[in-house]
Amino acid sequence: MDEGTIHRRDFLKTTTGLLTGMVVAGSPLGLIAPGRAWAVDLTAFTSSEAATLMAAARTIAPHDKLDDAAYALVVQAVDSDATKDGNTRKILREGLSRLGAEFIKATETDRVAALKKVESSEFFQTVRRKTLQVLYASPIAYAYFGYEGEAFSKGGYVLRGFNDLRWLPEVPLEDSGPVPM
Amino acid sequence: MAKIDFKDDSAIVIIGSGAGGGTLAHELTRRGIKVVLLEAGKRQSLEAFSQVPGEAFGQLTWLDTRTPFGQLTWLDTRTQSGNWGVARDFPSLPVWHCKTVGGTTVHWTASAPRLQPWELRAKSTYGKLAGASLIDWPISYDELEKFYVIAERRMGVTRRNDMPGLPASNNFKVMHAGAKKLGYKQVHTGHMAINSRSYDGRGFCIQQGFCVQGCKMGAKWSTLYTEIPDAQATGNLDLRIESTATKIEHGTDGRVNAVVYRDERGQEQRQKARLVCVAGNAIETARLLLLSESSKYPQGLANSSGQVGRNYCHQITGFVWGIFDKPVYSWRGATLAGVVEDEVVNDPRRGFVGGYRIELLALDLPTLPLVGLPYGWGRDFASIMESYRNLAGMFINGEDLPRSDNRITLNSNVKDAYGLPVANVHVDEHSNDQAMRKHAQGQMSRMYDAIGAKRVVLGPTPPATHNLCTARMSADPRDGVTNPWGQTHDIKNLFISDGSVLTTPGAANPTLTIVALALRQAEYISQQIKAGNI
């Protein structure tokens, strides 16, 4: 890890913890930023709470080859919500505390069982909702899932494969229409 | 653009600038009638529409978690109740429509089919059904058809007149192949208000796949950049944005004479009016009529029948996803450009009355898990997401039955920014609705299975986008709120000009019908003014 990058950071007085990692070479993001260190300043959670939260997000939406950096964004967003609202912070910290320190090291089966037990709680539903909202909206996820995103600046898909499927019969013209370019 | 004085009582005030209000504003102003158009939202533009929900690549400071729809969506608080799936899955967002100049025509997917003649005779066709408040439309299909023809030309609807169909996308190729295996005959890229070639000064569809986020090409018809600028060009339109109507006032004669609204600074304003047209989408239209109660009209305006807000219909929806072992890239291309119309028939042998369309659908990556998939998490949920490249999508758009108690009411326990009660949306689905959805999702599953889907996933019912019938047209004033021109039965100079007036929803996506009825209403208002009747 590039420790120097982190040490040089100006920490806010309110910083409660830090979550760090490195983009893995060979991951979809790694093609763009291999070896790049990342760090998330925390303002509501401790480093250990953030690590538990990250493990919870990975259990809720387990994509084994998706970089930790994508899940760190979830942690960052939840931390931000918890910073803004005292009640949310209380619910989340209590929930994380209930999962306990052993949650991170537990097998996936055990992590699923632990989350199942609290599935109806506001804690779990908040974490689940935020995971789904944030995880799939990042450029890291776009690259991983193959989603091409913004299209206007590239001229849409009219010349970039909107009709490139070849494993089914072509649609007769009377049921469709001419490609305009 | 005209500047109309607050005290000028010769103007018509239209509330809402979407399909109904925007079209009506153009039609009245081009006939030389002065119009004040109140729009609660801001004005966006092709340049402002966003296709980028996150921030720049490579950073770790993406705090922006808003959906791509934040800039357009009506996000004011609503409450809801009832047994429909939306109450469980989307408790804070019962309906999804727009608060922006152009209204929901900014985010609509531009499917523009016509209602069928028999759908206008719902009660006669379906018979008496327990738990439903069906009536027939007070106008004939032949009468409506005249205005469909004008609307289709105006909007540049594909596969009508000389506008070619849209080309087949990957997602549609999957739909088409599956539909043909099942023997469906009417399978095509739809009647879409999306330019397949340049038309009306607007460019053609370049298959961006961002219809819902606002078409940056302007290829999709929206009043934002068609009817409203045309109305402004007449010099007779005073468009006031960020202006939220809070009450319609009346005089001692019972006729409406002013609209009270909050302007962009939150200041209360009062615009005098000779005539008021309400087009705020069926939720807000009903709410405004109810909010406008007075000692003369204690149940709210135009509500002597007690029908305002009742018979709320939203059309039956539900996603079906097919996962294949080869790529589909369903997000590439016009979102809804594909339809199977064979099920738009009334065949009670299927176990329900009324018909449904099977329509093409894709969701962008961030939206799929939030709106498109059933509740879930863990490995099974993640495995569906892992298949995103290979996912094909469709959904149902079917006729739901009106029910008297499916209604918009004022929730006095929850107030908006101005201290006014918010709308509560109550929906208990009729067993007919549930039988139709089950049949449709079964047929769609068979379509995907027939061409080798590895897995079929049935999605939830999303927040309602087709909000209808809450001030319905009726021949008998006891059954509805307006006459066949959207003129309220109770107050001659108060009109309803949006989807609220549909007598029954039918199985056609409603915008074309709303536009056709607005064109017809404009003609009627103009004639009535000339004749000195209003």
Side-chain angles (χ1 to χ4, degrees):
Chain A
M1 173 171 299
D2 181 5
E3 293 288 340
T5 309
I6 295 157
H7 286 150
R8 278 197 302 273
R9 297 181 67 92
D10 292 325
F11 287 103
L12 296 169
K13 275 184 196 156
T14 50
T15 297
T16 53
L18 187 68
L19 193 64
T20 62
M22 187 134 70
V23 173
V24 179
S27 69
L29 185 70
L31 298 174
I32 296 133
R36 183 163 168 185
W38 54 262
V40 173
D41 288 342
L42 303 162
T43 51
F45 302 130
T46 63
S47 305
S48 137
E49 284 170 334
T52 307
L53 188 56
M54 185 130 139
R58 271 216 176 268
T59 312
I60 287 165
H63 300 290
D64 296 339
K65 292 177 183 162
L66 180 57
D67 205 287
D68 270 346
Y71 293 90
L73 292 174
V74 176
V75 173
Q76 186 178 41
V78 177
D79 182 72
S80 166
D81 285 356
T83 303
K84 281 179 218 145
D85 182 72
N87 189 42
T88 304
R89 178 176 176 141
K90 183 164 172 283
I91 288 164
L92 290 165
R93 295 195 71 175
E94 282 174 6
L96 292 167
S97 157
R98 211 166 301 133
L99 290 179
E102 64 276 19
F103 183 79
I104 308 177
K105 300 179 197 102
T107 63
E108 180 168 355
T109 311
D110 288 345
R111 277 183 282 127
V112 168
L115 292 179
K116 275 272 176 212
K117 266 189 231 163
V118 297
E119 188 173 5
S120 60
S121 70
E122 200 174 340
F123 160 72
F124 177 80
Q125 289 304 327
T126 302
V127 174
R128 175 186 171 272
R129 189 169 55 245
K130 208 69 187 176
T131 301
L132 267 44
Q133 277 175 4
V134 176
L135 188 66
Y136 302 102
S138 76
I140 308 173
Y142 281 23
Y144 178 85
F145 293 97
Y147 177 58
E148 296 153 299
E150 191 276 327
F152 177 70
S153 69
K154 302 170 196 127
Y157 293 106
V158 67
L159 298 176
R160 293 191 306 133
F162 87 103
N163 62 353
D164 65 358
L165 187 151
R166 294 288 175 265
W167 51 271
L168 285 168
E170 288 300 317
V171 175
L173 194 61
E174 70 258 26
D175 291 341
S176 56
V179 178
M181 292 174 86
Chain B
M1 189 165 94
K3 180 80 194 88
I4 295 169
D5 192 87
F6 287 129
K7 295 197 170 59
D8 184 345
D9 61 4
S10 70
I12 289 180
V13 176
I14 300 175
I15 300 163
S17 65
T23 302
L24 184 64
H26 180 201
E27 288 298 295
L28 293 175
T29 54
R30 77 177 181 85
R31 289 175 165 91
I33 298 169
K34 283 195 287 184
V35 169
V36 174
L37 179 57
L38 299 179
E39 167 54 51
K42 298 179 183 179
R43 186 171 197 145
Q44 303 294 345
S45 63
L46 303 192
E47 295 73 30
F49 294 148
S50 170
Q51 301 184 347
V52 188
E55 302 265 35
F57 217 115
Q59 296 177 346
L60 277 178
T61 50
W62 301 298
L63 288 166
D64 189 353
T65 55
R66 75 179 170 86
T67 71
F69 321 115
Q71 101 192 144
L72 305 175
T73 305
W74 191 295
L75 289 169
D76 298 36
T77 305
R78 266 79 176 259
T79 60
Q80 62 171 324
S81 48
N83 74 3
W84 63 335
V86 178
R88 181 188 64 238
D89 298 329
F90 305 98
S92 63
L93 194 70
V95 299
W96 183 11
H97 64 99
C98 289
K99 184 176 193 170
T100 187
V101 175
T104 303
T105 66
V106 175
H107 98 148
W108 76 312
T109 43
S111 178
R114 296 179 181 186
L115 289 167
Q116 301 295 303
W118 52 269
E119 290 180 305
L120 270 59
R121 301 187 302 270
K123 188 176 185 185
S124 306
T125 307
Y126 307 155
K128 196 168 163 50
L129 293 169
S133 51
L134 280 170
I135 56 173
D136 288 345
W137 285 50
I139 55 177
S140 68
Y141 181 78
D142 288 349
E143 172 65 12
L144 185 58
E145 189 179 35
K146 285 188 277 183
F147 294 91
Y148 273 153
V149 171
I150 303 169
E152 285 162 351
R153 204 170 283 287
R154 175 77 61 91
M155 299 162 81
V157 176
T158 59
R159 310 178 72 83
R160 303 284 191 204
N161 305 305
D162 51 357
M163 183 64 81
L166 286 165
S169 66
N170 291 343
N171 203 17
F172 179 66
K173 289 181 188 180
V174 180
M175 172 189 239
H176 190 271
K180 289 294 169 179
K181 286 269 189 196
L182 260 61
Y184 283 134
K185 303 276 192 296
Q186 300 170 67
V187 189
H188 53 77
T189 52
H191 295 294
M192 308 296 291
I194 294 177
N195 286 350
S196 55
R197 57 174 172 77
S198 298
Y199 177 73
D200 194 29
R202 295 180 287 117
F204 57 82
C205 174
I206 58 168
Q207 306 284 342
Q208 298 177 81
F210 287 94
C211 300
V212 172
Q213 288 81 355
C215 178
K216 289 181 81 68
M217 279 297 284
K220 177 183 84 175
W221 179 86
S222 169
T223 57
L224 172 63
Y225 40 77
T226 59
E227 309 304 314
I228 292 170
D230 286 351
Q232 288 183 302
T234 66
N236 293 318
L237 182 74
D238 186 344
L239 169 66
R240 298 184 194 162
I241 63 172
E242 294 183 75
S243 296
T244 306
T246 54
K247 192 178 177 77
I248 301 166
E249 295 184 332
H250 62 81
T252 49
D253 60 357
R255 289 162 56 94
V256 296
N257 60 15
V259 176
V260 179
Y261 69 95
R262 298 292 186 123
D263 68 13
E264 73 279 9
R265 296 184 313 279
Q267 301 287 317
E268 191 167 278
Q269 304 291 358
R270 177 176 281 94
Q271 176 62 52
K272 290 279 185 190
R274 74 187 296 174
L275 189 149
V276 175
C277 301
V278 190
N281 199 304
I283 312 294
E284 291 304 313
T285 289
R287 175 174 176 240
L288 183 60
L289 294 176
L290 296 172
L291 284 174
S292 301
E293 62 174 12
S294 65
S295 55
K296 186 174 179 70
Y297 299 119
Q299 298 193 90
L301 292 187
N303 198 21
S304 66
S305 62
Q307 295 292 316
V308 168
R310 290 189 185 272
N311 315 303
Y312 168 64
C313 288
H314 53 95
Q315 297 187 324
I316 301 303
T317 57
F319 301 111
V320 175
W321 308 103
I323 297 171
F324 295 86
D325 55 12
K326 295 196 181 72
V328 178
Y329 308 118
S330 61
W331 62 85
R332 297 177 185 170
T335 307
L336 216 86
V339 68
V340 179
E341 297 195 308
D342 297 62
E343 301 284 0
V344 189
V345 291
N346 181 47
D347 178 4
R349 287 173 306 178
R350 293 177 300 182
F352 55 90
V353 300
Y356 65 83
R357 276 183 169 68
I358 297 171
E359 295 180 342
L360 196 69
L361 194 90
L363 290 175
D364 59 81
L365 180 69
T367 305
L368 177 66
L370 303 179
V371 176
L373 296 181
Y375 172 86
W377 57 277
R379 284 286 156 189
D380 186 59
F381 162 77
S383 77
I384 299 169
M385 293 304 298
E386 291 272 341
S387 306
Y388 185 61
R389 291 174 184 81
N390 298 4
L391 194 77
M394 301 186 280
F395 84 132
I396 162 185
N397 192 77
E399 174 164 21
D400 56 333
L401 291 179
R403 311 191 76 183
S404 189
D405 289 337
N406 284 354
R407 61 190 291 210
I408 311 309
T409 53
L410 300 179
N411 183 346
S412 300
N413 298 320
V414 184
K415 303 285 172 61
D416 71 3
Y418 308 125
L420 300 170
V422 304
N424 185 73
V425 182
H426 179 89
V427 178
D428 284 322
E429 288 190 330
H430 196 281
S431 56
N432 194 79
D433 302 347
Q434 292 163 344
M436 178 189 286
R437 181 184 295 111
K438 191 169 173 208
H439 186 271
Q441 290 190 323
Q443 288 301 99
M444 290 188 272
S445 301
R446 290 176 58 206
M447 283 166 63
Y448 282 148
D449 284 339
I451 50 170
K454 278 162 50 186
R455 181 176 177 186
V456 174
V457 178
L458 305 188
T461 295
T465 56
H466 301 167
N467 301 298
L468 307 166
C469 307
T470 56
R472 66 185 183 181
M473 298 186 287
S474 65
D476 184 335
R478 290 170 299 184
D479 292 336
V481 178
T482 80
N483 71 9
W485 291 276
Q487 181 179 31
T488 62
H489 289 302
D490 294 356
I491 304 172
K492 274 172 71 173
N493 69 336
L494 176 62
F495 286 73
I496 312 297
S497 316
D498 60 14
S500 311
V501 299
L502 268 63
T503 304
T504 50
N509 307 53
T511 300
L512 180 77
T513 303
I514 293 169
V515 171
L517 291 173
L519 293 168
R520 183 168 178 270
Q521 183 180 72
E523 192 176 280
Y524 176 80
I525 289 173
S526 165
Q527 286 164 355
Q528 292 292 303
I529 286 175
K530 276 197 194 114
N533 293 336
I534 45 177

